[in-house]
Amino acid sequence: MEGDKKGIIRPLKNTEFRVKSNSFEGTIIIPDISGFTSFVNSMDFSLGKEITIELLQVIIDQNILNLTISEIEGDAILFYKKSTLTLQQVKKQYEQMLSAFSHKVNTLSLQYGFEIKLSLKLVAHYGEISTYTIGGFEKLYGKPVIEAHQLLKNPIKSNSYFLITEDFFNATSQTVNKTHYSGSKLCEVYGSLKNIGYIFFDYEADRDNPSINGYLR
């Protein structure tokens, strides 16, 4: 809204805002570059930008699940799918992205003559979400979107892992042996706290035999 000289509030001009009223249950997938903050702080601006573009493009090119891109967020890509996915599908998707990403990092390191210390992690979540379009851009909306981003800020020490939430497992009717896990991740969502159970598969030590860790209630 904008005001004129007499203080009358008038609608903003040339602004497109359209909300899709239909919400849906869907899967959120966020691959995120590990070590990105240190990379940006230590890298020449122009070169860092070019390397980042190439690495993000590699992630996008390995989208074997035909996920929809909602947003590119600097060091992460927000994907979603209007359906459930299995653990095996997410595992294969992550491994495909990680392999291509690692290969590209090695190639760029050789090309520029210095070690690029970057890796890839991924969060998979599930819940009720919706899309809206503003100014020609389609955006994703919903509490699960906030929760998925919060889960990227976790205490996991590894730089190469994928994380699956309990909501994801419940949606796909898959089960895991919960006796091996205890606790939960406490996330603040819209001013309230929610316990989010998860497990993660750590690929940092051994990419052929990832260890399984995490927290499920």
Side-chain angles (χ1 to χ4, degrees), residues 21-34:
S21 59
N22 58 314
S23 63
F24 55 91
E25 297 286 326
T27 304
I28 297 167
I29 301 284
I30 307 179
D32 178 86
I33 300 175
S34 301

Side-chain angles (χ1 to χ4, degrees), residues 180-209:
H180 292 91
Y181 314 105
S182 61
S184 60
K185 169 65 177 175
L186 195 63
C187 287
E188 184 172 354
V189 184
Y190 296 127
S192 62
L193 294 175
K194 175 182 178 180
N195 288 314
I196 301 177
Y198 65 84
I199 64 171
F200 69 95
F201 295 75
D202 188 356
Y203 283 68
E204 189 162 75
D206 188 347
R207 293 188 178 180
D208 293 325
N209 297 286

Side-chain angles (χ1 to χ4, degrees), residues 27 29 62 64-65 67 85-99 120 122-124 161-164 168-169 174 199-203 206-212:
T27 304
I29 301 284
Q62 301 306 313
I64 61 175
L65 294 178
L67 306 166
L85 297 170
T86 66
L87 170 60
Q88 290 73 24
Q89 285 178 307
V90 175
K91 180 176 184 292
K92 185 176 181 180
Q93 177 65 88
Y94 173 71
E95 289 177 347
Q96 185 91 3
M97 287 180 172
L98 178 62
S99 177
L120 193 69
L122 181 148
V123 165
Y161 66 86
F162 75 89
L163 180 156
I164 304 286
F168 176 96
F169 278 107
Q174 290 180 285
I199 64 171
F200 69 95
F201 295 75
D202 188 356
Y203 283 68
D206 188 347
R207 293 188 178 180
D208 293 325
N209 297 286
S211 59
I212 305 173

Side-chain angles (χ1 to χ4, degrees), residues 53-217:
I53 291 171
E54 291 202 51
L55 292 176
L56 289 173
Q57 187 62 57
V58 165
I59 296 171
I60 293 171
D61 290 343
Q62 301 306 313
N63 179 13
I64 61 175
L65 294 178
N66 196 28
L67 306 166
T68 300
I69 297 176
S70 173
E71 231 173 311
I72 299 176
E73 304 170 327
D75 61 341
I77 300 174
L78 176 58
F79 291 101
Y80 71 94
K81 195 171 186 67
K82 295 182 178 181
S83 62
T84 58
L85 297 170
T86 66
L87 170 60
Q88 290 73 24
Q89 285 178 307
V90 175
K91 180 176 184 292
K92 185 176 181 180
Q93 177 65 88
Y94 173 71
E95 289 177 347
Q96 185 91 3
M97 287 180 172
L98 178 62
S99 177
F101 184 92
S102 299
H103 178 74
K104 190 65 175 181
V105 165
N106 291 335
T107 299
L108 292 172
S109 294
L110 291 172
Q111 178 181 336
Y112 293 114
F114 59 87
E115 183 181 8
I116 300 172
K117 297 181 179 180
L118 296 173
S119 191
L120 193 69
K121 56 183 179 285
L122 181 148
V123 165
H125 193 27
Y126 187 89
E128 183 181 8
I129 52 181
S130 184
T131 58
Y132 63 94
T133 302
I134 182 168
F137 295 93
E138 186 172 81
K139 309 283 284 184
L140 204 59
Y141 177 84
K143 286 186 178 182
V145 180
I146 304 298
E147 292 166 357
H149 282 89
Q150 289 287 339
L151 284 164
L152 289 169
K153 303 172 184 178
N154 59 60
I156 298 172
K157 302 300 182 183
S158 173
N159 292 312
S160 304
Y161 66 86
F162 75 89
L163 180 156
I164 304 286
T165 67
E166 190 170 27
D167 289 334
F168 176 96
F169 278 107
N170 290 339
T172 58
S173 299
Q174 290 180 285
T175 59
V176 292
N177 189 344
K178 297 185 181 183
T179 60
H180 292 91
Y181 314 105
S182 61
S184 60
K185 169 65 177 175
L186 195 63
C187 287
E188 184 172 354
V189 184
Y190 296 127
S192 62
L193 294 175
K194 175 182 178 180
N195 288 314
I196 301 177
Y198 65 84
I199 64 171
F200 69 95
F201 295 75
D202 188 356
Y203 283 68
E204 189 162 75
D206 188 347
R207 293 188 178 180
D208 293 325
N209 297 286
S211 59
I212 305 173
N213 307 272
Y215 308 91
L216 284 178
R217 294 190 300 278

Side-chain angles (χ1 to χ4, degrees), residues 36-52:
F36 189 73
T37 299
S38 297
F39 170 79
V40 171
N41 289 334
S42 62
M43 186 61 55
D44 171 79
F45 182 86
S46 297
L47 180 57
K49 183 182 72 172
E50 291 304 315
I51 291 173
T52 300

